[in-house]
Amino acid sequence: RLRCDWSSDVCSSDLASFNALLHHTAESANAATSVDDAISNRLKDVCRHLGWHTGMAWFPSKDDPNFLVPSEITYFAKPRKYAAYKKDALAKTYQSGEAITGTVYKEAKPLWRSIRNLKTSRVKNALACGLQTLIISPVMQGPKVAAVIEFTTELDMPMDEDLLLAFKQISIQIGRVIERQELTEKLQQSEAHLRHFAASSDRKSVV
């Protein structure tokens, strides 16, 4: 069973724990009524189950998809402690390939990094809040990146391949929710078009 003790900075895991988390997040994803709900629940699930401290989601800009913009879909285990970090993050946009967030967006591959080794403007606030380790993972919708999710923890953790795989699988779950939501919206638009066409035909028949 996965065990994380924030006070002693000890974190251990096994395959059963990851499987339990993935099963839980899959059920939650299937029950989600919107993309925002699906991502919000994933951030909360990961942080609470794995002992990570913050979770955030970034999306391609609607004005220029070459840029990533932050969203209000976040999770902070200690809101007051991480207030400065959150404020700083929500003020940032990243061009594709810029810094670690933009790199994940461009290359569509997850990255695991020690925060102290990063050279970005957000490092100072992250370290001041006690955050040590960062994982960023792309959310794929077919061949394109539909979002980027980011997690940090106060634990100084070396690369864990099993954990990174778990993050990949969670990103895949979110991507499926996005695809399902898009399909639902297309079906609704098609049904609305057919109803409009039928109503127009009825009016012409009456005339």
Side-chain angles (χ1 to χ4, degrees), residues 103-157:
T103 297
V104 169
Y105 181 45
K106 180 180 180 179
E107 298 182 358
K109 296 179 180 179
L111 291 176
W112 178 307
R113 293 289 187 271
S114 171
I115 292 176
R116 72 169 69 91
N117 294 329
L118 297 176
K119 296 180 179 179
T120 70
S121 58
R122 294 170 55 200
V123 169
K124 182 178 179 180
N125 274 326
L127 294 176
C129 293
L131 298 170
Q132 299 292 326
T133 306
L134 168 73
I135 287 181
I136 303 183
S137 181
V139 174
M140 304 303 298
Q141 183 183 5
K144 70 177 183 180
V145 178
V148 170
I149 53 175
E150 169 187 306
F151 298 91
T152 65
T153 175
E154 293 182 11
L155 304 178
D156 187 4
M157 296 177 61

Side-chain angles (χ1 to χ4, degrees), residues 5-207:
D5 184 344
W6 293 342
S7 62
S8 61
D9 287 353
V10 174
C11 185
S12 62
S13 60
D14 58 31
L15 186 58
S17 300
F18 293 132
N19 288 339
L21 172 62
L22 292 175
H23 178 73
H24 176 77
T25 55
E27 288 184 338
S28 183
N30 290 332
T33 57
S34 71
V35 172
D36 286 2
D37 284 344
I39 297 178
S40 178
N41 289 337
R42 294 301 74 63
L43 299 182
K44 181 170 60 178
D45 289 342
V46 168
C47 290
R48 290 184 173 179
H49 279 74
L50 300 182
W52 286 59
H53 295 83
T54 78
M56 301 187 65
W58 305 73
F59 294 91
S61 170
K62 294 181 179 179
D63 297 325
D64 185 351
N66 194 45
F67 286 83
L68 272 180
V69 296
S71 74
E72 292 290 342
I73 305 176
T74 61
Y75 176 83
F76 292 89
K78 305 171 185 178
R80 292 182 64 182
K81 181 176 182 179
Y82 305 131
Y85 175 73
K86 178 181 179 180
K87 181 179 179 180
D88 184 30
L90 292 180
K92 301 294 183 184
T93 61
Y94 293 101
Q95 188 172 5
S96 177
E98 179 187 0
I100 185 172
T101 307
T103 297
V104 169
Y105 181 45
K106 180 180 180 179
E107 298 182 358
K109 296 179 180 179
L111 291 176
W112 178 307
R113 293 289 187 271
S114 171
I115 292 176
R116 72 169 69 91
N117 294 329
L118 297 176
K119 296 180 179 179
T120 70
S121 58
R122 294 170 55 200
V123 169
K124 182 178 179 180
N125 274 326
L127 294 176
C129 293
L131 298 170
Q132 299 292 326
T133 306
L134 168 73
I135 287 181
I136 303 183
S137 181
V139 174
M140 304 303 298
Q141 183 183 5
K144 70 177 183 180
V145 178
V148 170
I149 53 175
E150 169 187 306
F151 298 91
T152 65
T153 175
E154 293 182 11
L155 304 178
D156 187 4
M157 296 177 61
M159 167 73 78
D160 184 320
E161 293 292 345
D162 287 335
L163 184 54
L164 192 61
L165 177 60
F167 278 95
K168 288 181 181 179
Q169 293 301 317
I170 290 167
S171 296
I172 290 172
Q173 292 173 357
I174 297 173
R176 289 172 179 166
V177 172
I178 294 175
E179 291 175 349
R180 188 172 68 229
Q181 181 72 15
E182 186 175 84
L183 177 59
T184 298
E185 291 175 355
K186 287 182 178 179
L187 288 173
Q188 291 173 342
Q189 291 173 358
S190 178
E191 291 172 353
H193 176 74
L194 289 174
R195 287 195 297 269
H196 177 74
F197 178 78
S200 297
S201 299
D202 289 342
R203 286 195 296 270
K204 290 180 181 179
S205 298
V206 171
V207 175

